[in-house]
Amino acid sequence: MTRSRASWDEYFMNIAREVATRATCDRKHVGAVIVRDKSILATGYNGSIRGLPHCDEEGHLMEEGHCVRTVHAEANAIVQAARNGMAIDAATIYVTASPCWGCFRLIANAGIERVVFGEFYRDQRIFDVSQRLGIELVDASRPAEAKAT
């Protein structure tokens, strides 16, 4: 039996899911992978500020129903790229859950042109604003819509 090859979107989304296994907040494990020209530029997962205890060590820091101890996966991937001097303009970010409004703003200002997400997570504003900015959003939870990059 021949197994079909994963599309590029499936391949990088699978890597994002693996990155999510490093997350340290059990409320939501999220992984992100920034890619350009089929090459991984940076990865990130939700975890605490560098050098501070994680949720799985000290518990959650809750504000308005959300844990704020962690830095989100998308922000950590963008920071990793910056720390390593990696330009991410015109890239695609693969993220296991759609970006929150704060992370979406970082993605837009970083020059990322395409967001592939695995599940919708909480903020509808990204759909209207991405259209206005020309940022492509791909819902990879619907395999027929995922496209190869």
Side-chain angles (χ1 to χ4, degrees):
M1 182 169 160
T2 305
R3 189 176 151 216
S4 67
R5 229 173 138 186
S7 71
W8 286 108
D9 281 349
E10 291 166 335
Y11 174 74
F12 290 119
M13 187 56 73
N14 286 338
I15 294 170
R17 283 193 273 282
E18 187 64 28
V19 170
T21 67
R22 293 284 306 155
T24 60
C25 181
D26 62 6
R27 290 178 53 84
K28 188 140 190 86
H29 286 213
V30 180
V33 179
I34 300 174
V35 174
R36 187 177 49 237
D37 299 326
K38 299 180 182 120
S39 294
I40 295 172
L41 305 176
T43 65
Y45 55 86
N46 53 328
S48 292
I49 296 171
R50 185 182 296 267
L52 294 181
H54 296 287
C55 295
D56 58 7
E57 297 166 338
E58 280 198 359
H60 301 290
L61 180 59
M62 300 299 292
E63 285 183 10
E64 298 178 13
H66 299 285
C67 181
V68 295
R69 183 178 302 282
T70 61
V71 177
H72 290 186
E74 305 93 321
N76 272 327
I78 291 167
V79 167
Q80 183 187 78
R83 286 177 56 94
N84 292 315
M86 184 65 61
I88 58 174
D89 55 308
T92 295
I93 189 167
Y94 293 85
V95 62
T96 58
S98 62
C100 69
W101 181 237
C103 287
F104 180 80
R105 293 180 306 193
L106 293 174
I107 288 166
N109 277 1
I112 293 173
E113 295 179 346
R114 190 165 180 263
V115 179
V116 179
F117 62 91
E119 70 173 279
F120 175 71
Y121 180 66
R122 92 172 139 166
D123 206 314
Q124 287 285 79
R125 289 177 285 190
I126 66 170
F127 295 101
D128 176 52
V129 176
S130 66
Q131 197 168 43
R132 290 173 51 199
L133 294 173
I135 297 171
E136 182 183 2
L137 290 182
V138 177
D139 182 348
S141 70
R142 300 178 194 162
E145 292 183 14
K147 297 179 269 181
T149 53

